[in-house]
Amino acid sequence: MTLVNVWITECITDTGKLLALLTLPRHRDVMTSLGDKGSVHTQTKVLSQGCWTQVSCLCCVSERVEPLVLIQLSDNVQPVTKRWLISLIEASKKHGGAALLAHPGEDECGNVIVVSAPRCTLLRATEDLGLCKKYRNEEMASFSYHDRDNFTNVDDMQEFLTLAEHQYIVKNELDSLQTQKKQRIPGVPESLGVLEAWENICQKLVRAGVIKDIFPLHDQQRLNDLGRSWYYKKQIWGQPLDAIQSYFGGTVAFYFSFLDFYTWALVPPAFLGLVLTFLLPGGGGVVKEQAGEGVMEEDDNGPSVSGHMVQAVFSMLWSTLFIELWKRRSSSLSHRWGTLNLAERFAGPRPGFHGTLGLNPVTGRLEPLFPEWQRQLRVGLVSLPLVGLFLGLVVLGMTGFYHGEALVQGFHQDSGSLFSGALLYLPSMAHIVYTNMLGNVYHAVAMQLTEWENHREESSFQNHHTTKVLLFTFFNNFAVLFHIAFYKQDLPLLRKRLASMLIGNQLVNQCTEVVVPFIVDRFLSAPHKKEQEDNLEVDKLRAQRSLPPFPGLFAEYIELLLQFGYLSLFSCVYPLTAVLLLLNNITEIRGDAYKICKLFRKPFSAPVSNMGVWQTAFEVLGFVSVMSNCWLLLLSPRVQEFCLEGGISGKNIILLAILVEHVLILVKMILAFMIPDEPDWVRIKREQIEFNSMQALGQQKL
């Protein structure tokens, strides 16, 4: 709900700010950009070709320059500062520049710089990133700049690289700008404008208030085409993953591919849940307490012993098959999108990385160096204890909640007044406020800790930060359920709590994902759209600034992970879990697609070969599900009754549960081993790419 509210606020406040940005009537006023397969679309009529950086390399000369990235400067930036920044963007790498193309926008006094990239910069960056492209034999191969003429479509950058790859390369080159010696930033006060040697220039300009934002530009025609084939189409099955990857990049494409794969993987457990609930005796799973005995038993509508066992075993096997089959699909997509052989660890360090200046022992480049043992020491001696402290605070809050609830209930039983009845809600409200405040503090601490750990690669930084937040999120969301299940051993309460969480979350999710965006776009944004359509002078580049930044996919992955946890850990208690999740995710796909296309700015997206640490998180939950389902099965009153009728003592029941748990873990490991992480054809292609790269390197040395 928060993201939608942010979008509403930004749209309403910025509607009046849509002004013409780059009107240059003295120049030719047509700026075109190539769409997919070479089709030409008019993007905006305000950028003049004559004001772009003049390239000296003949192979980079082009009649059309595609605007890729917008640098938003502060409103009071000095013209001398803007000229200095443009000169850095245009300068060659050997002179400390980014070797990009820059356009000053409206004039030298304006507060925007539009950036593009010449062919040579794009090709060299493609090799540095380790992207694979089609060779002349139509097979994928690691791109080599020295062998560029043997790759298909290398003369057509719109075909050779996707729009997302274009824009990420520009952002990567801007982030790599570093000053070679100590100097002043022209037009900036000395207290803010001193650049130390090898300091990151863009980060310094952001801290000095010169740069407000850097974001990639939409191609409206291609975005509309994507929307028609994505969230507007009537078919439920399938998504245009290649078009998503081309426009939004691999990070977004992998998320939607996983969401699609996960949604349709819910069909088998949903079908089983319906069968167990409505066709088998005791499908409702209602549990009651015998009067005066304090013994939990299930009524005639409760799940049978066989139903419990089938649901528990199926959940464990399903989670294993789901993860292993997704790995295979992920590797296939990685090969198709040319990210099977990425070389991030050989690229330059991330902008926030700092250390002692020296020669990289692997690449031989002059860059900041930071010993790995110091990083591990920071993680082990500082980060881990602090994360453990916050997890302990979660447990402390949960303990306080139950203690406060018991006190308030006792007080209400003694007094029975209206005031004491109102106090019954106090522990829950206090616990909600406590967890929210703790979560906000922890997220800030997790980010600061990860920055302090000083990771060289961006993927390593993201993985460590995500792992910290995942641990807290898992603990914060599942600790109460585990407490109810294994400490209080109250299956009726567990079932009610799980059902209420699922139904409540789905209702809130449907409102925020579907209803609110539809109302906002249909009614609140309608005048805004009409104004743009009726006024041809409105600059579309400026219009994109009125949208809020894309918040990333972190919250979306967290939502899927929590869903997977509810299903794999506790579905044997509430078999309809998969049904509710399936119904939610069918609309989730379209809702997320609509949001990223309509409600936010276009995000930068790095080339990736998989989901990264998220995939590991799902695997860990799969292993935890084995233990959870085994012990939930043991706690089932009917299972206990069945064992007691068979003459099995309580001690033997526990030993039997441990034995079954270990057997199922072994079965899970055997299944994971038997199903390769990548298909044979992908493995062969990957090995061919590695072999051909070695051969090409040997030929270059000769």
Side-chain angles (χ1 to χ4, degrees):
M1 193 66 165
T2 304
L3 299 181
V4 178
N5 289 337
V6 170
W7 184 85
I8 295 173
T9 305
E10 294 274 356
C11 279
I12 292 176
T13 56
D14 289 336
T15 297
K17 296 182 180 179
L18 301 179
L19 304 173
L21 167 65
L22 304 173
T23 50
L24 289 169
R26 64 184 182 275
H27 293 295
R28 184 172 47 152
D29 62 351
V30 176
M31 174 60 220
T32 59
S33 64
L34 293 178
D36 292 331
K37 298 185 179 179
S39 60
V40 180
H41 305 292
T42 303
Q43 182 177 18
T44 177
K45 296 182 178 181
V46 293
L47 286 180
S48 168
Q49 297 294 311
C51 290
W52 284 100
T53 304
Q54 300 299 313
V55 296
S56 57
C57 180
L58 294 178
C59 69
C60 296
V61 176
S62 175
E63 295 182 358
R64 295 180 297 271
V65 181
E66 183 178 18
L68 298 174
V69 173
L70 185 71
I71 301 177
Q72 175 66 48
L73 306 176
S74 63
D75 295 333
N76 58 351
V77 67
Q78 298 297 317
V80 64
T81 307
K82 182 176 179 179
R83 288 195 299 269
W84 173 80
L85 180 55
I86 289 178
S87 68
L88 277 177
I89 295 173
E90 297 174 340
S92 63
K93 290 291 187 68
K94 65 180 180 180
H95 292 107
L100 297 173
L101 306 178
H103 192 290
E106 184 178 5
D107 52 45
E108 289 189 355
C109 298
N111 62 344
V112 298
I113 300 175
V114 185
V115 185
S116 188
R119 177 175 178 268
C120 286
T121 299
L122 292 172
L123 293 180
R124 294 185 185 277
T126 302
E127 180 180 26
D128 292 339
L129 292 173
L131 294 176
C132 295
K133 297 296 177 181
K134 279 190 177 181
Y135 206 62
R136 59 185 177 186
N137 60 359
E138 295 301 316
E139 297 287 345
M140 299 295 287
S142 293
F143 179 75
S144 171
Y145 182 80
H146 297 285
D147 194 28
R148 58 189 179 277
D149 293 333
N150 288 318
F151 285 82
T152 60
N153 298 318
V154 74
D155 293 324
D156 185 357
M157 285 292 98
Q158 308 301 324
E159 283 287 336
F160 186 71
L161 294 173
T162 66
L163 177 61
E165 289 169 345
H166 276 85
Q167 292 171 328
Y168 176 75
I169 288 173
V170 170
K171 179 63 163 57
N172 190 56
E173 297 301 325
L174 290 174
D175 285 341
S176 64
L177 278 174
Q178 292 179 323
T179 178
Q180 297 179 352
K181 59 182 180 180
K182 185 175 181 179
Q183 59 176 293
R184 280 276 312 276
I185 302 175
V188 178
E190 185 174 356
S191 59
L192 298 173
V194 177
L195 277 165
E196 301 295 336
W198 301 100
E199 186 175 3
N200 186 278
I201 294 176
C202 284
Q203 281 194 337
K204 179 67 175 181
L205 293 176
V206 170
R207 291 195 299 268
V210 175
I211 293 179
K212 294 175 63 177
D213 202 359
I214 301 176
F215 60 91
L217 294 170
H218 274 299
D219 183 327
Q220 199 59 48
Q221 181 61 48
R222 295 173 67 178
L223 183 63
N224 293 338
D225 293 341
L226 177 60
R228 282 191 291 269
S229 63
W230 195 3
Y231 53 85
Y232 279 137
K233 72 174 186 177
K234 298 180 179 180
Q235 294 84 359
I236 297 178
W237 188 273
Q239 297 185 80
L241 294 178
D242 290 335
I244 298 171
Q245 190 272 339
S246 175
Y247 190 83
F248 284 108
T251 305
V252 176
F254 267 109
Y255 165 74
F256 280 99
S257 177
F258 179 77
L259 176 58
D260 183 74
F261 187 83
Y262 169 62
T263 298
W264 297 113
L266 290 172
V267 173
F271 177 77
L272 178 63
L274 291 173
V275 171
L276 293 178
T277 302
F278 297 109
L279 297 184
L280 289 183
V286 179
V287 183
K288 61 184 181 181
E289 184 173 352
Q290 289 184 344
E293 298 182 11
V295 178
M296 302 306 302
E297 72 166 10
E298 299 178 52
D299 63 12
D300 294 336
N301 292 326
S304 63
V305 173
S306 59
H308 271 299
M309 291 182 177
V310 168
Q311 182 69 41
V313 174
F314 179 85
S315 296
M316 291 180 279
L317 297 179
W318 173 85
S319 63
T320 302
L321 291 174
F322 165 71
I323 291 297
E324 295 304 319
L325 292 178
W326 163 250
K327 288 180 183 178
R328 293 172 63 85
R329 176 172 174 79
S330 176
S331 63
S332 301
L333 292 174
S334 179
H335 173 266
R336 192 163 83 195
W337 294 336
T339 58
L340 199 61
N341 195 35
L342 294 178
E344 185 189 13
R345 60 196 177 96
F346 300 130
R350 55 181 291 272
F353 179 73
H354 56 83
T356 305
L357 195 64
L359 290 177
N360 187 309
V362 178
T363 63
R365 292 193 293 256
L366 188 65
E367 63 180 47
L369 301 178
F370 189 77
E372 183 67 23
W373 67 267
Q374 289 190 24
R375 182 180 300 111
Q376 298 297 337
L377 206 62
R378 292 183 176 187
V379 172
L381 297 183
V382 179
S383 295
L384 286 179
L386 280 177
V387 171
L389 173 63
F390 275 91
L391 297 183
L393 291 176
V394 172
V395 176
L396 181 63
M398 185 179 64
T399 304
F401 164 70
Y402 284 117
H403 181 66
E405 191 177 49
L407 289 177
V408 172
Q409 286 179 351
F411 178 71
H412 179 63
Q413 290 176 357
D414 293 338
S415 64
S417 64
L418 185 63
F419 174 73
S420 63
L423 286 180
L424 291 175
Y425 297 96
L426 183 60
S428 296
M429 295 176 61
H431 187 247
I432 291 173
V433 173
Y434 174 81
T435 54
N436 287 337
M437 292 178 61
L438 186 65
N440 292 334
V441 173
Y442 178 81
H443 281 75
V445 171
M447 178 60 72
Q448 292 298 322
L449 281 176
T450 312
E451 287 281 3
W452 181 68
E453 289 166 5
N454 199 26
H455 298 276
R456 183 183 183 275
E457 293 85 18
E458 182 66 28
S459 63
S460 177
F461 175 86
Q462 294 296 338
N463 288 343
H464 279 76
H465 177 248
T466 302
T467 301
K468 293 182 181 67
V469 178
L470 276 179
L471 285 172
F472 181 82
T473 303
F474 178 84
F475 227 71
N476 212 19
N477 286 274
F478 292 111
V480 173
L481 296 178
F482 277 109
H483 181 268
I484 295 173
F486 302 119
Y487 181 76
K488 301 182 71 173
Q489 298 187 7
D490 191 344
L491 293 187
L493 179 59
L494 177 63
R495 184 178 292 112
K496 292 176 183 178
R497 184 67 178 258
L498 183 62
S500 63
M501 290 176 67
L502 284 170
I503 295 173
N505 288 342
Q506 306 317 317
L507 290 176
V508 173
N509 182 67
Q510 290 303 308
C511 182
T512 57
E513 299 280 352
V514 180
V515 179
V516 173
F518 176 79
I519 293 175
V520 169
D521 188 62
R522 178 59 61 91
F523 299 104
L524 298 182
S525 298
H528 172 209
K529 290 181 178 179
K530 189 174 186 303
E531 179 183 348
Q532 277 190 286
E533 294 170 359
D534 294 343
N535 187 0
L536 298 179
E537 299 300 323
V538 171
D539 183 9
K540 295 180 181 179
L541 301 184
R542 191 63 168 267
Q544 294 183 41
R545 296 168 50 196
S546 66
L547 296 174
F550 181 63
L553 296 169
F554 197 93
E556 310 299 334
Y557 272 121
I558 286 289
E559 181 184 345
L560 293 182
L561 190 69
L562 294 178
Q563 285 188 11
F564 186 75
Y566 294 142
L567 177 60
S568 61
L569 298 175
F570 304 107
S571 63
C572 68
V573 176
Y574 189 63
L576 289 178
T577 300
V579 179
L580 297 176
L581 297 181
L582 177 61
L583 294 176
N584 173 80
N585 286 5
I586 289 175
T587 56
E588 175 88 9
I589 295 175
R590 303 299 174 86
D592 286 349
Y594 180 86
K595 286 192 301 183
I596 194 173
C597 290
K598 291 287 189 178
L599 304 186
F600 300 103
R601 293 178 190 168
K602 189 174 187 289
F604 287 107
S605 181
V608 293
S609 57
N610 50 49
M611 297 195 309
V613 71
W614 295 105
Q615 184 169 295
T616 305
F618 280 91
E619 288 187 82
V620 171
L621 271 185
F623 271 95
V624 176
S625 70
V626 176
M627 296 176 280
S628 173
N629 281 281
C630 281
W631 292 104
L632 285 175
L633 190 61
L634 173 65
L635 294 175
S636 171
R638 286 195 171 181
V639 171
Q640 292 182 354
E641 181 182 356
F642 177 80
C643 293
L644 291 176
E645 289 177 355
I648 305 175
S649 64
K651 180 179 179 181
N652 289 334
I653 291 176
I654 295 178
L655 292 176
L656 179 62
I658 294 175
L659 176 62
V660 172
E661 174 191 280
H662 283 67
V663 169
L664 289 174
I665 289 178
L666 180 62
V667 171
K668 186 179 181 71
M669 295 176 64
I670 292 174
L671 273 176
F673 176 77
M674 291 176 59
I675 303 175
D677 290 350
E678 56 186 15
D680 287 341
W681 69 269
V682 175
R683 177 183 56 80
I684 293 172
K685 297 293 185 183
R686 176 175 53 78
E687 292 175 353
Q688 286 178 346
I689 291 173
E690 293 173 356
F691 176 75
N692 292 334
S693 298
M694 291 175 57
Q695 280 193 323
L697 182 61
Q699 291 176 359
Q700 289 180 21
K701 291 181 178 179
L702 292 177

